[in-house]
């Protein structure tokens, strides 16, 4: 995989790339306290037919750590700046967890630049008051204790216990991505996540198929929150939203990118094939 740096939206953004440059481009966005490394097991499985761009969000990995709140909109502007710098006019974006929040903000701000998107262990719902209180506690904790104890508490929540035992090297790589994050970057990202609005309407109103992937054992984002299109004031089944593709991975927690990369790659590949087919009939 090739690593590059571009200056966009006032920051130096690092990204990795694999696949074929003359093929259709997809963008894979990592989660909180992660990096482009999160996608390393998925990228080779898709690289034969796609050009794959894996950015490192502001405050994460080797990308700049500016001293301001990292709203989802600002990070979406970063992704747009990257796409423009690379000459990408239209793309499909898949976001894991935090990356899903950024994906929705990108879809909201730059609808003409998307032909589809997917949320991987993420949600269109805003933080509940309980979650906001937890984020405030995390901000205080990181500010006082630093990033290392926070990451050590976070890792067990990301993986199913049996998976942590089966793949210790992969779990360690995820941990190292978190440990390499600056406390300032983590705090500003937590602040930004608390500010995001409810974007559930973007799921059922999308003019193209939407991919939703959840882990049955996810302790970070529950499947019901991923499939939030069914949580409106007037609940509707996915049969009334045939463009929404819901997938629940059994035996997987929050990290299907690492826990079940082959399964995730198959689901993404199947979804991408639907984008080239006739748009399904929508019942509104």
């Amino acid at each position: 995989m090739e690593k590059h740096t571009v200056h966009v939206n006032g920051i130096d953004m690092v990204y990795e790339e694999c696949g074929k440059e003359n093929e259709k481009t997809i963008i894979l966005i990592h989660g909180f306290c992660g990096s482009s490394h999160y996608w390393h097991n998925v990228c080779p499985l898709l690289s034969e037919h796609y050009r794959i761009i894996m950015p490192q969000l502001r405050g994460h990995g080797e990308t700049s750590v500016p001293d301001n709140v990292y709203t989802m909109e600002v990070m979406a502007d970063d992704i747009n700046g990257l796409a423009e710098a690379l000459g990408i006019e239209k793309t499909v974006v898949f976001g894991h967890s935090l990356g899903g929040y950024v994906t929705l903000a990108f879809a909201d701000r730059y609808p003409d630049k998307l032909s589809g998107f997917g949320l991987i262990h993420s949600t269109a719902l805003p933080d509940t008051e309980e979650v906001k209180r937890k984020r405030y506690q995390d901000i205080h904790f990181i500010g006082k204790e630093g990033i290392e104890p926070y990451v050590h508490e976070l890792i067990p929540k990301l993986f199913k216990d049996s998976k942590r035992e089966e793949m210790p090297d992969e779990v360690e790589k995820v941990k190292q991505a978190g440990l390499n994050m600056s406390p300032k970057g983590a705090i500003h990202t937590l602040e930004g996540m608390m500010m995001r609005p409810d974007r559930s309407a973007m799921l059922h109103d999308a003019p193209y198929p939407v991919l939703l992937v959840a882990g049955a054992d996810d302790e970070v984002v529950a499947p019901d929150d991923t499939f939030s299109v069914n949580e409106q004031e007037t609940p509707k089944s996915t049969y009334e939203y045939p463009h929404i593709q819901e997938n629940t991975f059994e035996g997987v927690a929050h990290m299907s990118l690492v826990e079940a990369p082959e399964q995730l790659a198959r689901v993404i590949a199947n979804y991408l094939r639907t984008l080239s087919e006739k748009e399904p009939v929508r019942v509104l």
Side-chain angles (χ1 to χ4, degrees):
M1 297 182 193
E2 300 177 1
K3 185 180 291 185
H4 307 277
T5 302
V6 293
H7 188 77
V8 297
N9 202 24
I11 64 170
D12 290 324
M13 173 173 271
V14 174
Y15 69 96
E16 292 188 88
E17 179 173 354
C18 74
K20 298 182 178 179
E21 189 170 346
N22 60 340
E23 297 293 343
K24 186 172 184 179
T25 301
I26 63 175
I27 297 176
L28 307 179
I29 307 178
H30 63 79
F32 180 51
C33 281
S35 76
S36 53
H37 173 268
Y38 272 20
W39 294 100
H40 278 193
N41 293 332
V42 174
C43 190
L45 302 173
L46 299 171
S47 60
E48 184 177 353
H49 301 292
Y50 300 97
R51 178 192 184 192
I52 302 168
I53 305 297
M54 298 168 288
Q56 296 180 1
L57 296 172
R58 60 172 55 208
H60 293 71
E62 300 169 73
T63 292
S64 300
V65 188
D67 195 8
N68 50 40
V69 177
Y70 304 166
T71 66
M72 304 305 101
E73 292 76 18
V74 165
M75 289 196 280
D77 292 343
D78 295 343
I79 298 299
N80 179 61
L82 175 62
E84 289 186 344
L86 299 181
I88 300 169
E89 296 181 358
K90 200 127 184 172
T91 187
V92 181
V93 180
F94 300 91
H96 168 252
S97 198
L98 161 66
Y101 310 154
V102 177
T103 297
L104 285 167
F106 184 89
D108 198 3
R109 292 168 79 82
Y110 305 101
D112 294 339
K113 297 189 176 183
L114 274 183
S115 53
F117 69 80
L119 306 184
I120 315 299
H121 307 287
S122 192
T123 180
L125 296 172
D127 280 352
T128 63
E129 291 305 312
E130 179 181 358
V131 171
K132 287 181 180 179
R133 284 193 294 271
K134 179 61 168 63
R135 296 208 197 277
Y136 278 121
Q137 292 171 2
D138 290 343
I139 288 170
H140 177 75
F141 181 80
I142 294 170
K144 182 179 179 181
E145 304 293 339
I147 196 68
E148 184 172 350
Y150 176 79
V151 170
H152 282 293
E153 288 186 8
L154 176 65
I155 293 299
K157 301 174 185 177
L158 301 182
F159 294 91
K160 189 173 171 62
D161 289 345
S162 60
K163 294 292 186 181
R164 292 208 315 275
E165 296 172 0
E166 292 171 9
M167 49 183 63
D169 291 344
E170 293 297 330
V171 173
E172 182 62 26
K173 291 175 184 176
V174 171
K175 181 188 295 185
Q176 287 303 315
L179 294 175
N180 289 337
M181 188 169 184
S182 76
K184 181 171 72 173
I187 288 170
H188 288 327
T189 305
L190 287 164
E191 292 169 338
M193 287 193 285
M194 286 192 293
M195 297 171 61
R196 70 184 196 281
D198 186 341
R199 287 192 163 103
S200 297
M202 296 192 65
L203 301 182
H204 58 73
D205 291 343
Y208 37 63
V210 171
L211 176 66
L212 303 177
V213 173
D217 299 308
D218 196 334
E219 296 182 15
V220 179
V221 179
D224 284 349
D225 289 339
T226 296
F227 306 141
S228 59
V229 68
N230 294 330
E231 302 299 323
Q232 306 299 304
E233 292 182 5
T234 306
K236 296 177 182 290
S237 73
T238 51
Y239 292 106
E240 295 175 271
Y241 298 125
H243 67 297
I244 295 179
Q245 302 179 19
E246 295 185 354
N247 298 265
T248 302
F249 289 4
E250 298 298 329
V252 170
H254 192 64
M255 296 293 293
S256 64
L257 311 79
V258 178
E259 294 173 292
E262 294 87 0
Q263 185 179 2
L264 180 59
R266 282 196 301 271
V267 167
I268 289 176
N270 288 336
Y271 166 77
L272 289 167
R273 280 192 285 270
T274 68
L275 297 183
S276 62
E277 299 172 356
K278 184 178 179 181
E279 184 179 351
V281 177
R282 301 266 299 281
V283 180
L284 302 177

